[in-house]
Amino acid sequence: MKKFKILLIMLISFSFTMSAFAQTSEITWVSKIQEMESSQLTLLVILAVVLGVILLLLVLMIYLMSFMVTVFKKENPETANEPSWWDEFKLKYIVGRMKPVGGKEEKEMMLDHSYDGIVELDNHMPPWLANVFYLSIAFAVAYFTYYSVLGLGKSQIEEYQEELQIAAVEAEKYKLLALSSIDETSVVFDSSTPAINSGKTIYDTNCAACHAADGGGGIGPNMTDEYWIHGGSIADIFKVVKYGVVEKGMVPWQDQLSPEEMQNVSSYILTLQGTTPANPKEPQGEKYEPAIEDPLDVLSDEELEFVQAGEVEN
């Protein structure tokens, strides 16, 4: 009964430890479980319950076997002093059989030298330690043969290079996903050279016929002055490029250009501001003035509190 209680306490402690670990851990399998659907979680819970029942039945079987052995020993007093199977297993594979103290075998184990009258015994190595030593040798031989002799396994450098390739593919997928999700609410002015060059190519191919190659305007309005019909921010220009202005002859480009290409050409159009075209068209629309940010918005919380405290003192 005592062994059963100890085993039960160990199982309960292990379950609580694993549950606490799962709550605080950020490893992959925990995140995968959290992403499962309700039907998959239900199936997983059922499997866990079945495994728990099987484990409980195994514990009960071990307890019943121990109980039956105890009963048999009480019915047969001559077998009461015989060691149990666990004692035999422990002596044979774990601690080993110790030599009797004070006997002839102990004297044979004594080494020749002594330290202040203390004699050292040449005790045997415990079986569990010897078995671990032999298993480590066998594992080392198999490991060396698999990785170095046969070359079947990947080296650490090869695994590192493979991880780098996987990370590069994932980064490219993330970049493509981010670029494909650009719209009028998330578009930004991209002043990088590749983006501006790409935008200029798109402009020369698709926009120059109506707005002139230098942005001075023709059928379409002038792109170089400060006046805009539909707004002069990067979001306004992107929106016009994407959806067009059909009633004025501006076709939508959302089916012909990718979100990234529309962002690039919108960024290039903004670079035409302030340039001097050869034959500029008269201004159209209203003068666009960029919104001026409140300087307090760019301060940190500590700096803002310091400024406000100075204003109160003044």
Side-chain angles (χ1 to χ4, degrees):
M1 187 66 180
K2 186 177 180 181
K3 293 181 179 179
F4 176 73
K5 290 182 178 179
I6 294 174
L7 184 58
L8 185 60
I9 292 173
M10 292 176 61
L11 290 174
I12 294 174
S13 302
F14 178 76
S15 63
F16 276 111
T17 303
M18 291 302 295
S19 62
F21 176 75
Q23 292 176 358
T24 57
S25 177
E26 296 181 356
I27 55 180
T28 306
W29 66 272
V30 176
S31 60
K32 288 184 178 179
I33 290 177
Q34 294 174 349
E35 295 173 357
M36 284 184 177
E37 299 178 356
S38 58
S39 58
Q40 295 175 331
L41 286 175
T42 303
L43 180 60
L44 186 63
V45 170
I46 293 174
L47 291 175
V49 171
V50 171
L51 291 176
V53 171
I54 294 174
L55 182 61
L56 182 60
L57 290 176
L58 290 175
V59 173
L60 291 175
M61 289 178 60
I62 295 174
Y63 172 71
L64 289 175
M65 290 176 61
S66 301
F67 178 75
M68 292 174 63
V69 169
T70 304
V71 172
F72 289 152
K73 285 184 176 181
K74 289 183 178 180
E75 293 181 354
N76 301 311
E78 62 275 6
T79 61
N81 296 327
E82 294 182 359
S84 63
W85 66 271
W86 171 248
D87 294 332
E88 289 289 341
F89 177 83
K90 184 168 60 174
L91 289 174
K92 187 174 182 180
Y93 298 104
I94 301 179
V95 297
R97 299 183 183 275
M98 302 298 294
K99 303 299 181 181
V101 179
K104 180 179 178 181
E105 295 179 350
E106 184 186 29
K107 294 181 179 179
E108 294 176 353
M109 293 171 57
M110 290 183 181
L111 299 178
D112 297 334
H113 56 272
S114 63
Y115 303 92
D116 296 332
I118 300 175
V119 182
E120 182 181 0
L121 296 179
D122 187 15
N123 287 313
H124 69 284
M125 182 181 293
W128 71 268
L129 185 57
N131 293 332
V132 169
F133 179 68
Y134 298 144
L135 287 175
S136 63
I137 294 177
F139 177 80
V141 173
Y143 185 92
F144 180 78
T145 303
Y146 182 77
Y147 284 95
S148 299
V149 178
L150 300 178
L152 299 177
K154 296 179 181 178
S155 65
Q156 293 182 349
I157 297 178
E158 292 173 342
E159 290 181 353
Y160 175 70
Q161 293 175 347
E162 183 179 1
E163 292 293 333
L164 287 179
Q165 293 176 356
I166 295 174
V169 172
E170 294 295 331
E172 189 66 24
K173 289 182 179 178
Y174 176 79
K175 182 180 179 182
L176 293 176
L177 180 62
L179 294 176
S180 63
S181 62
I182 297 175
D183 58 14
E184 56 272 19
T185 61
S186 61
V187 63
V188 294
F189 175 72
D190 190 351
S191 61
S192 63
T193 301
I196 298 300
N197 291 338
S198 172
K200 184 179 185 306
T201 302
I202 297 172
Y203 180 89
D204 293 340
T205 304
N206 303 294
C207 309
C210 296
H211 297 279
D214 56 6
I219 300 175
N222 187 353
M223 296 290 187
T224 63
D225 57 28
E226 299 177 339
Y227 292 84
W228 295 85
I229 302 175
H230 303 284
S233 67
I234 184 68
D236 295 330
I237 298 174
F238 182 91
K239 188 175 181 180
V240 172
V241 173
K242 181 177 181 180
Y243 299 109
V245 185
V246 180
E247 61 272 14
K248 294 186 177 181
M250 173 69 181
V251 298
W253 293 94
Q254 58 180 341
D255 296 331
Q256 303 178 53
L257 299 177
S258 67
E260 181 187 10
E261 290 174 331
M262 289 188 289
Q263 176 177 265
N264 292 342
V265 71
S266 301
S267 300
Y268 172 73
I269 290 172
L270 282 179
T271 64
L272 297 176
Q273 290 286 293
T275 60
T276 305
N279 187 20
K281 190 176 181 180
E282 69 279 0
Q284 293 176 276
E286 298 179 358
K287 185 176 181 180
Y288 174 76
E289 295 182 0
I292 300 176
E293 295 183 354
D294 188 347
L296 295 181
D297 293 339
V298 298
L299 297 179
S300 64
D301 294 339
E302 293 79 4
E303 294 171 338
L304 184 59
E305 291 177 359
F306 178 77
V307 172
Q308 292 174 347
E311 292 177 354
V312 171
E313 291 178 359
N314 293 333

